[in-house]
Amino acid sequence: MSVLKDSIVELIRKTSAEIPDDVQQSLLASLKREQAGTIAESALKIIQRNIELAQSKSQPLCQDTGSVIFYVDAPRDFDQAGFEETAREAVSAATKAGYLRQNSVDSITGRNDGTNVGPGAPVLHFHQHRSPEIKVRMMLKGGGCENVGAQYSLPIEKMKANRDLDGCRKVILDAVLQAQGKGCGPGILGVCIGGDRATGYEHSKHQFLRKIDDRNPNPELDRLEQDILETGNSLGIGPMGFGGKTTLLGVKIGVLNRVPASFFVSVSYMCWAFRRQGVTLSSEGKIQQWLY
Amino acid sequence: MISLTAPFTEEKIRALKVGDEVEISGVVFTGRDAVHKYLHEGGALPAEVSFQNGIVYHCGPVVLRDEQGAWKVVAAGPTTSIREEPYQGEIIKKFGLRGVIGKGGMGDRTLAACQEFGCVYFHAIGGAAQVLAECIKRVPNVHFQKEFGSPEAIWEMVVEKFPVVVTMDSHGNSLHKKVYDASVAALAKRL
Ligand code: SF4
């Protein structure tokens, strides 16, 4: 039991303190793109210094360590209930160790018991698969960027957004416009076309598990992703909304079926402090491999 | 890079323009939702705290006590400022603030108060908790910690070369407005 707990605490530590390599590469590329001497460039340089400091001190990249979300893929005989209990213990241990801020509040009383464990905290998604592999991925999703997420119910007449891919494009770009720099951009968009109000948002977050530089296997969605990335970056919003060339680092779009009466487009925004990591575990719970 | 050191006089503040990169050295006071609401409702500052020619920082820091009992700031990034929009203008006027540090920018009422009373909005880099914590050299005091809890308390911080960008100045200019308007126009061409 405690092997598994130690592994999850280590997963949380690394997620909180170290930016994944794909995100780092993308941030470095954007630093090159910005014009020398601009405030956009300065902002990205400070972000780089922050990344280095956090890693070397093993301290949270950002003080808002966000909501703690786990994605677990495991075989049929996997002890799901046991994992959940251990994950909750690990979250409260990681909070004691300072890898997570005391960040979970009772929604009615406002009380914060300092453990980060409570109803809906942490969030756990389990998926059973046929391979023997145990894969645990996690994400820390900050509040500032969560607040600029948006859900659109198509059609929307005043935006001339119909129930087609062009309508989707319009509302996704509207979300970028409304967010400006408020979600601590440059940001990454996770989008879901379809689903219901709950599954749409859930699936939009799921897109953040994809690497920034991967490409969508569906050619139509790939085109839409590239188009929104390019168009979004042409708006001049820039890092922190200071103006500049990098507004978005990536756009990831998934699709779910919908009922004929509904057409939702759900957009989640992830800040530059994109904290996600993952491991494969042995059956005893030991970390075998890092995934990002 | 402009270096801005205490005392933060009206003259120094009026000289700043939107887009200026500034490094602040001196005392800043944290204050977020609870403090702003309290002051706006007529509450008084503790006797030892004065916002006259002062700077308030929208921040809920993570602060620990070391073995000698001194406060040590572990993380201190800015929080979203727009939540204080209903209160900020009044507080600038009533308490004589010269600067507000935060992220995301603020609205028209704050911008008008900045112009009328000589105050600027400084944007810190959101999420840069570690870099900003390194610029906080000492924490001489904390006020209202019992009343409002640690993140909402007024922390007195001595900062050195704290990096910010002026995004709203005392001449009625707002970078946030400018970027928003330009991006609306740019998007209209791409739809
Ligand atoms: S949006 Fe992200 S970077 Fe900004 S404060 Fe929140 S968690 Fe930190």
Side-chain angles (χ1 to χ4, degrees):
Chain A
M1 210 54 163
S2 98
V3 178
L4 177 61
K5 182 174 152 188
D6 291 349
S7 296
I8 302 174
V9 171
E10 174 56 11
L11 172 61
I12 296 170
R13 184 200 65 76
K14 198 169 159 85
T15 309
S16 177
E18 298 178 20
I19 202 111
D21 195 49
D22 59 315
V23 182
Q24 170 68 337
Q25 293 315 319
S26 170
L27 280 166
L28 286 172
S30 70
L31 182 55
K32 280 209 192 105
R33 241 186 345 257
E34 294 295 345
Q35 224 174 319
T38 57
I39 49 179
E41 189 206 37
S42 291
L44 289 169
K45 278 188 178 155
I46 290 178
I47 286 173
Q48 278 308 320
R49 231 168 73 215
N50 195 73
I51 289 171
E52 285 159 23
L53 264 178
Q55 174 158 6
S56 70
K57 291 162 73 179
S58 236
Q59 294 250 349
L61 260 173
C62 175
Q63 66 194 355
D64 183 358
T65 52
S67 28
V68 181
I69 311 172
F70 290 100
Y71 297 87
V72 184
D73 299 275
R76 204 174 49 190
D77 54 357
F78 181 74
D79 177 9
Q80 209 165 292
F83 183 91
E84 180 159 350
E85 282 159 23
T86 311
R88 291 167 81 91
E89 283 170 26
V91 165
S92 90
T95 308
K96 268 207 195 96
Y99 305 145
L100 299 174
R101 176 173 78 173
Q102 301 180 352
N103 216 29
S104 182
V105 173
D106 182 303
S107 295
I108 305 297
T109 64
R111 213 174 82 86
N112 182 339
D113 72 3
T115 64
N116 277 328
V117 173
V123 181
L124 289 126
H125 298 285
F126 288 100
H127 172 240
Q128 190 182 84
H129 60 194
R130 297 205 185 277
S131 114
E133 185 179 69
I134 303 170
K135 184 157 88 178
V136 181
R137 289 174 292 181
M138 76 171 300
M139 200 186 295
L140 300 173
K141 179 78 172 63
C145 58
E146 184 69 2
N147 290 347
V148 300
Q151 191 168 58
Y152 298 84
S153 173
L154 268 46
I156 301 177
E157 206 185 338
K158 71 175 198 303
M159 296 173 65
K160 297 199 185 82
N162 297 308
R163 292 182 159 192
D164 51 29
L165 278 185
D166 182 62
C168 295
R169 175 179 184 268
K170 284 185 171 131
V171 298
I172 298 167
L173 286 167
D174 181 68
V176 177
L177 187 72
Q178 299 312 328
Q180 292 287 303
K182 288 184 283 233
C184 290
I188 298 90
L189 298 184
V191 180
C192 173
I193 298 173
D196 62 26
R197 288 197 185 271
T199 59
Y201 264 135
E202 205 287 297
H203 199 60
S204 74
K205 284 208 178 68
H206 206 97
Q207 304 308 309
F208 295 132
L209 296 174
R210 290 172 53 191
K211 286 196 181 167
I212 290 206
D213 55 0
D214 78 351
R215 296 294 287 259
N216 199 310
N218 175 326
E220 258 185 319
L221 292 180
D222 183 57
R223 229 173 296 132
L224 187 58
E225 288 181 358
Q226 300 305 316
D227 174 7
I228 288 169
L229 181 61
E230 190 269 315
T231 312
N233 282 333
S234 76
L235 302 183
I237 296 168
M240 292 292 134
F242 289 167
K245 295 185 179 140
T246 320
T247 301
L248 296 174
L249 298 175
V251 180
K252 306 290 158 192
I253 305 176
V255 179
L256 295 175
N257 275 12
R258 58 184 175 86
V259 295
S262 300
F263 196 125
F264 294 112
V265 178
S266 310
V267 183
S268 286
Y269 190 104
M270 180 64 93
C271 53
W272 70 260
F274 185 173
R275 288 151 294 174
R276 82 143 131 62
Q277 204 27 281
V279 289
T280 56
L281 297 176
S282 70
S283 50
E284 298 79 44
K286 248 186 128 109
I287 294 175
Q288 288 177 317
Q289 198 196 339
W290 292 94
L291 297 174
Y292 294 100
Chain B
M1 183 70 69
I2 296 168
S3 93
L4 177 71
T5 50
F8 309 117
T9 59
E10 176 163 9
E11 193 192 349
K12 289 182 193 171
I13 294 297
R14 292 272 183 200
L16 298 173
K17 301 260 171 346
V18 154
D20 283 347
E21 291 184 57
V22 177
E23 286 180 339
I24 301 173
S25 300
V27 171
V28 305
F29 296 98
T30 68
R32 46 186 289 174
D33 311 71
V35 169
H36 282 80
K37 182 160 176 286
Y38 163 83
L39 293 178
H40 191 257
E41 285 169 353
L45 283 170
E48 317 86 272
V49 176
S50 168
F51 281 180
Q52 195 66 44
N53 289 343
I55 294 181
V56 76
Y57 179 21
H58 297 155
C59 168
V62 182
V63 190
L64 299 178
R65 244 191 170 138
D66 68 15
E67 301 83 48
Q68 285 86 43
W71 297 109
K72 190 158 175 10
V73 177
V74 183
T79 186
T80 302
S81 298
I82 196 70
R83 292 195 308 267
E84 316 315 338
E85 181 64 14
Y87 319 118
Q88 198 70 66
E90 263 307 296
I91 292 173
I92 290 171
K93 176 178 171 187
K94 188 166 166 196
F95 295 93
L97 278 177
R98 293 283 172 224
V100 174
I101 309 174
K103 70 160 176 149
M106 301 190 74
D108 287 337
R109 282 155 69 188
T110 303
L111 187 63
C114 283
Q115 185 164 17
E116 190 172 349
F117 305 107
C119 181
V120 293
Y121 180 81
F122 296 111
H123 200 301
I125 303 301
Q130 297 303 330
V131 168
L132 298 177
E134 293 251 306
C135 299
I136 297 163
K137 299 302 174 189
R138 264 181 331 113
V139 180
N141 237 320
V142 57
H143 309 275
F144 292 147
Q145 195 184 12
K146 275 215 190 71
E147 292 85 340
F148 299 148
S150 194
E152 295 276 349
I154 298 182
W155 292 91
E156 192 176 329
M157 297 172 163
V158 178
V159 302
E160 218 177 277
K161 297 193 170 167
F162 190 94
V164 291
V165 174
V166 177
T167 57
M168 292 161 65
D169 65 21
S170 63
H171 309 285
N173 304 308
S174 162
L175 182 64
H176 306 285
K177 243 194 202 155
K178 193 176 129 200
V179 170
Y180 181 77
D181 291 346
S183 59
V184 168
L187 182 56
K189 283 192 210 134
R190 300 291 305 263
L191 286 182

